[in-house]
Amino acid sequence: MNAPARLRVAAGQATSVPRDVAANVATACSLVTTAADQGARVVVLPELFLTGYAAEEWRHDDSLALDASTGSGGPDERLRPLADLARERGVTVVASAAVRRALDASTLSAVVLTPDGEVRAPYDKQHLCGLEEQGFFTAGDHGATIVVDGWELGLGICYDGSFPEHAASAAAAGATAYLTPAAFFTGSDHRRDLYYAARAIDNGIYVVFAGLTGTCGASSFSGGSAVYDPEGRAVARTGADDPAVVVADLDIAEVRRVQDEVNTVARDRRDSLGHRERLEVGRAG
């Protein structure tokens, strides 16, 4: 399927309430409605937005009851308003939640609600950040891409975007944009703004970043939702506003122009740099 020349996307942010899925779904519906009213076909929401980024509240329970054995199911009735809205407005929503996979195993996952009303959890965060995430969640074991209107959209979650190879793997598989629900603690704005611009310019692709904002449990978050173009420039961005939605058009011609003419780093990247020579010069001590 050939992708249309342009795809309108949105990144939304707001405060999430720990473990109150119904309240977070209501906020998500408001964000998605605002984005859909501006013509967005894809809406990305922050990391753990549906269940809350508050480590002190994480439990292995039915915070989000997806059928993990098939990777789909439900939707949990608390998700029904968001699933119905995605169908009614013809949008794809990429949200994030803690998903129970087994009795004592949960993943930090991307939850995708499709225009046909289905709910999927196709991707689990592979790079868990810090001892709290690493001590509670099970890391994902595969990458994932969704296809919307012919556009290949790679999925990552927050810390995944700190690793160049993660977005590079998506781009190598054909992704022309990288969607990243995220939650950056207040004070880490400088890293947030460097990482995702770098992932765009590393690969000549768009990056859609949705950052949690406000206070959730004991932590505060800095927002910063943005869309970066294939040269790493923010074509839409907000600060710590709550709530906020940024909207931008992705242009397939711009991806091809940058990859073929402007910054060919993705094409020129070597599979291996070979062995490393070590040369000692001078006398130690």
Side-chain angles (χ1 to χ4, degrees):
M1 178 178 179
N2 292 326
R6 292 177 180 269
L7 179 70
R8 181 160 291 184
V9 300
Q13 65 183 43
T15 297
S16 177
V17 182
R19 293 170 59 79
D20 192 339
V21 176
N24 297 330
V25 164
T27 303
C29 286
S30 178
L31 294 170
V32 170
T33 296
T34 298
D37 285 347
Q38 297 179 61
R41 292 281 293 150
V42 178
V43 185
V44 184
L45 300 177
E47 180 180 23
L48 287 182
F49 187 78
L50 296 178
T51 48
Y53 196 111
E56 65 274 14
E57 297 288 343
W58 293 340
R59 304 286 188 277
H60 293 298
D61 62 16
D62 293 328
S63 294
L64 191 59
L66 295 181
D67 181 357
S69 63
T70 62
S72 65
D76 183 303
E77 282 304 310
R78 295 168 296 178
L79 286 182
R80 181 71 62 184
L82 190 55
D84 288 347
L85 180 62
R87 184 182 64 250
E88 291 165 6
R89 299 304 300 268
V91 299
T92 297
V93 180
V94 179
S96 176
V99 174
R100 187 179 181 190
R101 297 295 188 182
L103 183 62
D104 292 313
S106 300
T107 53
L108 200 169
S109 303
V111 177
V112 179
L113 301 98
T114 72
D116 56 11
E118 294 185 354
V119 178
R120 297 285 187 266
Y123 177 71
D124 304 326
K125 187 176 182 179
Q126 293 183 280
H127 298 93
L128 297 173
C129 183
L131 295 179
E132 290 179 329
E133 286 188 13
Q134 294 166 8
F136 180 78
F137 293 109
T138 300
D141 62 3
H142 64 274
T145 295
I146 62 173
V147 182
V148 178
D149 297 344
W151 280 74
E152 298 265 345
L153 308 173
L155 298 179
I157 300 176
C158 201
Y159 196 39
D160 285 327
S162 302
F163 297 85
E165 61 271 22
H166 196 269
S169 176
T176 46
Y178 182 60
L179 312 182
T180 53
F184 271 71
F185 296 112
T186 300
S188 60
D189 315 24
H190 63 295
R191 292 188 287 106
R192 174 199 71 197
D193 294 342
L194 284 169
Y195 284 144
Y196 299 94
R199 300 297 79 82
I201 200 169
D202 282 347
N203 301 288
I205 61 176
Y206 287 95
V207 171
V208 184
F209 169 90
L212 192 63
T213 195
T215 299
C216 188
S219 300
S220 62
F221 299 89
S222 62
S225 296
V227 179
Y228 296 93
D229 75 6
E231 292 195 69
R233 297 172 295 212
V235 294
R237 173 185 277 168
T238 190
D241 308 59
D242 179 11
V245 173
V246 296
V247 177
D249 288 330
L250 311 188
D251 184 345
I252 195 68
E254 180 65 5
V255 174
R256 302 305 178 218
R257 184 187 73 86
V258 172
Q259 290 181 342
D260 294 342
E261 302 173 17
V262 177
N263 181 23
T264 61
V265 64
R267 185 180 68 200
D268 297 336
R269 184 179 291 124
R270 295 175 61 94
D271 293 333
S272 171
L273 298 179
H275 70 281
R276 180 172 297 277
E277 297 283 352
R278 184 171 182 268
L279 176 63
E280 290 193 32
V281 179
R283 182 177 298 175

